[in-house]
Amino acid sequence: MSAMADPSPSSTDKSTTDSSLEMEVVRHAEIWNGIAVSDATLTRAARAAFAAVSPARRESCEATLVLTDDEETRALNRTWRGKNSSTNVLSFPAGEPAAAIPGEPRPLGDVVLAAETVLVEARDKSVSVADHVTHLVVHGMLHLLGFDHERDEDALAMETLETKVLAGLGIADPYAENARADAQEVSP
């Protein structure tokens, strides 16, 4: 568990699947209690992203998903990225551990979602909140796994992988031309 994790998570799924990813979902903001997205859906999205990467990256790992509000996300974005605004998703990679602990999963880091921004974006994009949240979890997990979208070719590779993972989860391509017409780009 990384520094972002709350000692009293709403749920912890420590079961091992083919993806060997342990997920912890932590709710920092009550607003998420009214959003119809289950911890199981969030965990499934994270594991799908994890399983989509090359086999060399599929060692046993753990990650935390922090569900918070715009206020906390603004503070994190200001502190860590120098941007005084909220954003939909932030990823905080754990970095490489000094030494692997035998039998323990490697920490990947934290993915943080801001409820109010997510709700506005889903409405503006005319997509379900569950589909949008799933997309953001996949996006954030890929950042933890080393993907980025700083250069055009990297953005295309990441978008292609996101689209593939989302299709496997039954979610339409968020980057399709009709989806881009009025959509804002997903923030890193």
Side-chain angles (χ1 to χ4, degrees), residues 146-157:
F147 291 84
D148 69 48
H149 42 81
E150 295 300 315
R151 298 178 312 161
D152 288 345
E153 57 269 18
D154 295 334
L156 180 59

Side-chain angles (χ1 to χ4, degrees), residues 124 174-184:
D124 291 349
Y175 297 109
E177 287 304 315
N178 58 353
R180 287 181 184 240
D182 296 314
Q184 298 175 357

Side-chain angles (χ1 to χ4, degrees), residues 23-62:
M23 282 300 301
E24 182 174 26
V25 177
V26 179
R27 294 176 187 268
H28 279 194
E30 286 187 32
I31 188 171
W32 282 97
N33 296 334
I35 298 174
V37 181
S38 70
D39 290 1
T41 296
L42 300 168
T43 298
R44 183 174 173 234
R47 287 184 173 155
F50 185 78
V53 300
S54 68
R57 291 188 182 170
R58 291 181 64 193
E59 73 273 19
S60 179
C61 294
E62 65 183 2

Side-chain angles (χ1 to χ4, degrees), residues 1-2 11-25 39-53 55 57-65 94 103-111 137-145 165 169:
M1 183 166 46
S2 58
S11 73
T12 302
D13 184 346
K14 297 285 187 181
S15 63
T16 303
T17 65
D18 290 339
S19 69
S20 299
L21 178 67
E22 294 178 11
M23 282 300 301
E24 182 174 26
V25 177
D39 290 1
T41 296
L42 300 168
T43 298
R44 183 174 173 234
R47 287 184 173 155
F50 185 78
V53 300
R57 291 188 182 170
R58 291 181 64 193
E59 73 273 19
S60 179
C61 294
E62 65 183 2
T64 302
L65 178 61
E104 292 292 319
R106 179 174 69 88
L108 287 178
D110 303 326
V111 174
V137 169
V138 168
H139 184 89
M141 284 300 297
L142 291 178
H143 277 304
L144 294 185
L145 293 162
V165 171
L169 295 169

Side-chain angles (χ1 to χ4, degrees), residues 70-112:
D70 280 1
E71 182 180 349
E72 183 175 6
T73 306
R74 176 187 298 269
L76 291 168
N77 207 20
R78 183 177 48 246
T79 299
W80 297 104
R81 297 180 67 224
K83 297 182 179 187
N84 189 23
S85 62
S86 184
T87 187
N88 52 12
V89 60
L90 291 168
S91 296
F92 295 96
E96 293 298 320
I101 300 171
E104 292 292 319
R106 179 174 69 88
L108 287 178
D110 303 326
V111 174
V112 181

